[in-house]
Amino acid sequence: MKILIIEDETSLSNSIASYLKADNYLCEIAGNYKMALDKIESFDYDCILLDITLPDGNGLNVLKELKKSKRTDGVIIISAKNSVNDKIDGLNLGADDYISKPFHLSELSARISAVIRRRRFDGSANIIVNEITIDTIANTIFINNKLLDLTKKEYDLLLYLVINKNRVISKSAIAEHISGDNADYFDNFDFIYAHIKNLKKKMTSAGAADYIKSIYGMGYKFEVN
Amino acid sequence: MKLTHHISIRYIGITSVIILFTIPIFYFIILFVMMNSLDETLLFQKQWIEKELETTSPENFISYNNDIFITSVTSENEKQRIFNQEIYIPEDNEFVTHRVLEFTTAANGKLYHVRFQKSLVETEDLLNSIIAIQSGIFIILLISLFYINRNIKRKVWKPFYKTLTELSNYRVDKQLSLDLQPCKINEINDLNKSVNELTKRNHQLYIEQKEFTENASHELQTPLAIMQSNIDLLLQTSPITEEQALIIENLTEANQRMNKLNKTLLLLTKIDNNQFPNKELINIRNVLLKLLSCYEDISKQKNITLSACLDEKTAIYADKTLAEVLLGNLLSNAIRHTTQNGMIEIELKKVSFRITNTASGKALDPEKLFKRFQKHGTNSHSIGLGLEISKKICNLYGYQIQYSFANNQHCFTLEFN
């Protein structure tokens, strides 16, 4: 999988690349508008991460160029502005998703994974990890081909953990993911523990191995070899 | 008290004092002048009598009112003297002050004592006339002062009052500056010029400050993102000891708070800049139900009993994000400040929304409640901007937000209109 990171802050683009590399993504970095245009002219990408504010141009123009040449690369807009208008403009121009700075790398990884799944031509949107099969179209999870009865939040949580497998995800990243913007109002993430506990119980009683590990209370990790 | 009244009262006071003083002064001056001329007339008459006595016998002297008395005397016992005397006038049945001249003169070898008098009745009349005239002047002065004042207020002070009205209607966030027109009066021109410049400078400062907050918040987003992603990467390093985990967790938490603070400041500037022009009809019940499901986890954790009585039709015309922020803030505040096993009651009526929660302490100070960075209680995670934002949103749409405290319960009421 090839990812293009169009972002002028090298420290940010490097950490994104470093996180995504472990997922076997091939990352390329474009630090400005001109480089970005050069890259998209020469290569196809599965997903492009696009910062709108670039030193030498507006990122939205990159999006326009892509659409002009009828490209189907997935695009996720990264913006520091968090403005509704930017979001609407970007999505209207054909971006697949919009994420505002600052974000958790695990969240970005989940969004990239969703964009790539949606763009897959073979229609296979199943994620399989050993005995666990996640059908991301029907939003259902099977363990040993048996349907697992989960609430919506538990489903979101498990999908999030699986996509970021073998990574430690902080509690705040999990809270933000399952509560959306409203996580802003929380100052206590203890409720995540309750969800994790329920999820683990349901999974192990359905015959799955105990994959979810707590890491010193700072976060959780879906551990699979 | 109006400035014109203030000046008039002093003016009238001084005028009355001056007039009161001038009445006796006038009286004495005029009296003196009159006496002088009277005495002169008397002396003139004396010469005439002396001349007449040479040719006419005293018995034949005829005078008006019989006011010349001539008697023969043997010796010149006294000199000439002039004095005032009260004399009874039988016709009027009263005493009247007279000016009397007595002298002794010799004519045809005989000595005569002559006395004649003139009534001073006019001086009393004079005094009365003076008082009447002065009072008349005083009244005319008062009336003209009243008219002058009215006129001044209407015409001369008009530009001043215009400046005053414009100044009291001036809002630093709405207007660029006041544009007060020049007029004839120099002082008011100076005032207008200063006011124009002051408002212009203030607006400039206001804009700069607003831009600063906005730019600062935007600029902060990128370093915050860098920090966040690096913390996320740090989490993936191994091995991590328990000690490191604790440090990372603290970092995450601080970053989270900074992030939250920055987002909220941005939201505040956006509301101030009126960057939420898109209004739509919003069903409040739907918004509340969505929010309640978001807060389900956290209220369960605190074992809060939640009772909601929601009108299905209540709708407002507002920006959706702002409506969610407004209700979300009130709801999250209630959840945050409710004690363990406490209670929250939500009531949504046609034009009002009320949220009550069990308090852990005493009433909040309503003066400071809606101000920036006012934290209540010891919750260090609260950033103290929620209620200010709620208040700003209410101001934007003209809603009323009120706080009350009763039966150990905090209560916030919103009134839509």
Side-chain angles (χ1 to χ4, degrees):
Chain A
M1 298 282 175
K2 271 176 83 179
I3 310 258
L4 176 64
I5 305 166
I6 305 173
E7 163 67 60
D8 57 319
E9 288 288 337
T10 38
S11 172
L12 186 60
S13 47
N14 285 341
S15 46
I16 294 172
S18 147
Y19 190 89
L20 294 178
K21 242 175 242 163
D23 274 339
N24 295 325
Y25 287 119
L26 206 69
C27 293
E28 284 181 19
I29 295 172
N32 57 44
Y33 181 70
K34 211 176 144 287
M35 268 173 78
L37 286 185
D38 286 350
K39 291 264 182 196
I40 58 167
E41 263 172 41
S42 330
F43 306 102
D44 282 329
Y45 296 92
D46 294 285
C47 188
I48 297 173
L49 306 179
L50 178 62
D51 186 359
I52 292 186
T53 41
L54 293 169
D56 55 343
N58 189 332
L60 287 178
N61 290 334
V62 176
L63 198 54
K64 282 179 192 159
E65 286 298 319
L66 279 172
K67 294 302 140 184
K68 223 193 274 171
S69 43
K70 302 218 166 26
R71 295 272 291 271
T72 55
D73 312 45
V75 176
I76 297 176
I77 290 174
I78 298 173
S79 168
K81 280 207 171 160
N82 192 19
S83 99
V84 182
N85 287 340
D86 271 3
K87 189 171 175 174
I88 293 171
D89 286 350
L91 296 181
N92 279 344
L93 282 173
D96 297 79
D97 207 346
Y98 178 99
I99 189 166
S100 56
K101 287 182 187 175
F103 47 80
H104 284 285
L105 292 177
S106 48
E107 181 65 33
L108 182 67
S109 164
R111 303 274 187 108
I112 293 171
S113 157
V115 166
I116 290 175
R117 275 200 313 273
R118 249 180 280 149
R119 295 199 162 256
R120 242 180 226 162
F121 297 111
D122 57 7
S124 109
N126 285 0
I127 298 170
I128 301 164
V129 180
N130 297 345
E131 67 271 38
I132 304 169
T133 307
I134 304 177
D135 180 344
T136 56
I137 291 171
N139 291 345
T140 47
I141 291 178
F142 297 87
I143 288 177
N144 294 325
N145 297 322
K146 251 176 68 189
L147 183 69
L148 187 64
D149 182 27
L150 295 176
T151 65
K152 189 180 176 299
K153 276 180 187 165
E154 285 162 354
Y155 168 82
D156 286 343
L157 181 56
L158 184 56
L159 179 62
Y160 194 47
L161 288 166
V162 168
I163 286 171
N164 288 288
K165 58 180 183 288
N166 294 326
R167 310 289 187 82
V168 182
I169 308 175
S170 66
K171 281 188 290 187
S172 68
I174 295 176
E176 231 163 77
H177 182 75
I178 62 175
S179 317
D181 289 340
N182 296 302
D184 277 1
Y185 302 121
F186 302 149
D187 29 65
N188 182 329
F189 299 129
D190 290 350
F191 68 93
I192 292 165
Y193 172 73
H195 283 305
I196 296 272
K197 206 175 74 181
N198 289 340
L199 184 59
K200 279 172 80 154
K201 210 195 286 169
K202 283 184 184 175
M203 283 172 70
T204 44
S205 58
D210 189 12
Y211 293 109
I212 304 171
K213 301 276 187 286
S214 165
I215 311 295
Y216 301 126
M218 65 177 177
Y220 295 93
K221 184 176 180 179
F222 189 92
E223 212 168 51
V224 58
N225 298 318
Chain B
M1 187 187 269
K2 287 205 160 128
L3 184 61
T4 46
H5 292 173
H6 198 70
I7 292 172
S8 308
I9 283 175
R10 267 152 188 74
Y11 197 52
I12 289 168
I14 292 166
T15 316
S16 350
V17 169
I18 289 172
I19 283 176
L20 281 178
F21 266 112
T22 52
I23 288 174
I25 292 170
F26 253 52
Y27 171 71
F28 284 113
I29 289 172
I30 287 177
L31 194 64
F32 176 75
V33 170
M34 275 181 63
M35 284 296 186
N36 254 4
S37 80
L38 200 60
D39 289 358
E40 240 168 71
T41 320
L42 284 176
L43 290 175
F44 203 70
Q45 225 167 343
K46 175 192 163 194
Q47 284 174 1
W48 176 78
I49 290 168
E50 281 173 341
K51 215 179 186 178
E52 284 297 298
L53 276 176
E54 301 281 328
T55 53
T56 329
S57 79
E59 291 79 27
N60 291 344
F61 246 88
I62 297 160
S63 65
Y64 176 71
N65 269 359
N66 289 329
D67 52 2
I68 302 177
F69 309 95
I70 303 172
T71 44
S72 302
V73 286
T74 49
S75 63
E76 196 172 340
N77 58 348
E78 57 182 321
K79 284 197 156 183
Q80 162 185 313
R81 83 195 162 102
I82 296 176
F83 57 92
N84 289 353
Q85 194 177 31
E86 299 283 320
I87 291 166
Y88 183 70
I89 306 290
E91 291 92 337
D92 299 340
N93 189 27
E94 61 173 357
F95 283 90
V96 174
T97 313
H98 281 67
R99 193 71 173 162
V100 181
L101 173 66
E102 282 185 348
F103 64 92
T104 313
T105 184
N108 304 325
K110 279 182 177 173
L111 277 176
Y112 295 103
H113 177 79
V114 181
R115 172 195 161 98
F116 64 89
Q117 60 199 43
K118 275 213 167 254
S119 164
L120 274 179
V121 72
E122 294 92 347
T123 51
E124 278 163 29
D125 292 345
L126 180 74
L127 185 66
N128 290 338
S129 316
I130 291 173
I131 292 176
I133 289 168
Q134 293 284 66
S135 313
I137 290 175
F138 188 59
I139 288 166
I140 291 169
L141 215 61
L142 280 188
I143 294 171
S144 28
L145 257 181
F146 174 74
Y147 279 102
I148 288 168
N149 267 343
R150 223 170 59 161
N151 193 33
I152 283 178
K153 207 190 149 220
R154 245 188 230 161
K155 292 193 183 142
V156 181
W157 285 93
K158 198 177 159 196
F160 176 76
Y161 284 111
K162 191 170 168 269
T163 305
L164 203 64
T165 323
E166 294 242 0
L167 200 56
S168 60
N169 288 334
Y170 177 73
R171 294 284 168 271
V172 73
D173 51 338
K174 299 270 156 63
Q175 279 156 282
L176 184 71
S177 73
L178 283 184
D179 191 20
L180 298 165
Q181 296 308 315
C183 68
K184 284 192 292 193
I185 315 291
N186 285 345
E187 283 85 347
I188 292 180
N189 256 347
D190 289 347
L191 175 74
N192 284 358
K193 235 189 260 168
S194 311
V195 165
N196 283 349
E197 283 191 8
L198 182 76
T199 48
K200 200 171 159 189
R201 225 168 27 233
N202 270 0
H203 187 75
Q204 198 62 38
L205 278 177
Y206 172 78
I207 296 282
E208 276 169 23
Q209 204 197 344
K210 217 165 65 168
E211 280 176 355
F212 173 76
T213 322
E214 201 182 347
N215 292 343
S217 302
H218 276 150
E219 291 304 316
L220 268 174
Q221 303 271 73
T222 305
L224 277 171
I226 294 170
M227 214 152 103
Q228 177 93 74
S229 57
N230 279 294
I231 291 172
D232 284 346
L233 281 182
L234 190 59
L235 277 175
Q236 315 312 329
T237 54
S238 78
I240 289 183
T241 64
E242 198 169 348
E243 196 187 357
Q244 285 169 332
L246 190 68
I247 294 170
I248 294 174
E249 207 185 341
N250 288 341
L251 275 177
T252 313
E253 202 178 275
N255 194 52
Q256 207 70 23
R257 265 169 67 190
M258 210 144 60
N259 194 359
K260 206 197 284 188
L261 187 63
N262 197 42
K263 263 192 190 169
T264 319
L265 280 175
L266 252 182
L267 181 64
L268 261 180
T269 21
K270 274 187 190 166
I271 298 173
D272 279 342
N273 292 355
N274 212 357
Q275 285 172 336
F276 292 96
N278 307 321
K279 286 187 181 180
E280 55 186 299
L281 205 61
I282 298 160
N283 182 299
I284 308 250
R285 184 172 173 269
N286 292 347
V287 175
L288 281 172
L289 288 179
K290 186 181 152 198
L291 287 167
L292 283 173
S293 78
C294 288
Y295 295 129
E296 204 187 340
D297 288 326
I298 207 123
S299 63
K300 252 187 210 159
Q301 189 187 304
K302 276 184 129 175
N303 197 22
I304 293 170
T305 316
L306 207 140
S307 70
C309 173
L310 308 176
D311 187 307
E312 284 177 26
K313 290 201 184 88
T314 311
I316 56 170
Y317 196 62
D319 182 275
K320 199 161 186 213
T321 319
L322 291 187
E324 280 175 10
V325 168
L326 173 62
L327 296 167
N329 276 346
L330 293 177
L331 207 59
S332 68
N333 267 348
I335 293 171
R336 184 179 293 141
H337 296 292
T338 300
T339 43
Q340 192 77 28
N341 306 321
M343 211 168 95
I344 294 179
E345 275 175 57
I346 300 170
E347 187 185 59
L348 179 65
K349 285 188 183 164
K350 202 154 186 265
V351 288
S352 69
F353 167 80
R354 196 166 59 112
I355 182 160
T356 325
N357 72 287
T358 321
S360 49
K362 51 184 188 337
L364 306 171
D365 183 355
E367 289 284 310
K368 294 180 181 165
L369 197 58
F370 297 105
K371 295 240 169 81
R372 215 166 270 206
F373 297 118
Q374 286 298 324
K375 293 188 192 179
H376 306 283
T378 50
N379 194 331
S380 65
H381 290 275
S382 154
I383 54 170
L385 285 172
L387 282 176
E388 200 210 348
I389 287 186
S390 303
K391 179 86 181 166
K392 281 250 161 84
I393 297 173
C394 286
N395 287 348
L396 186 67
Y397 292 126
Y399 306 152
Q400 299 289 320
I401 182 164
Q402 256 138 16
Y403 167 76
S404 62
F405 184 82
N407 306 325
N408 197 32
Q409 281 185 321
H410 298 302
C411 174
F412 282 92
T413 318
L414 273 183
E415 264 169 57
F416 313 114
N417 42 6

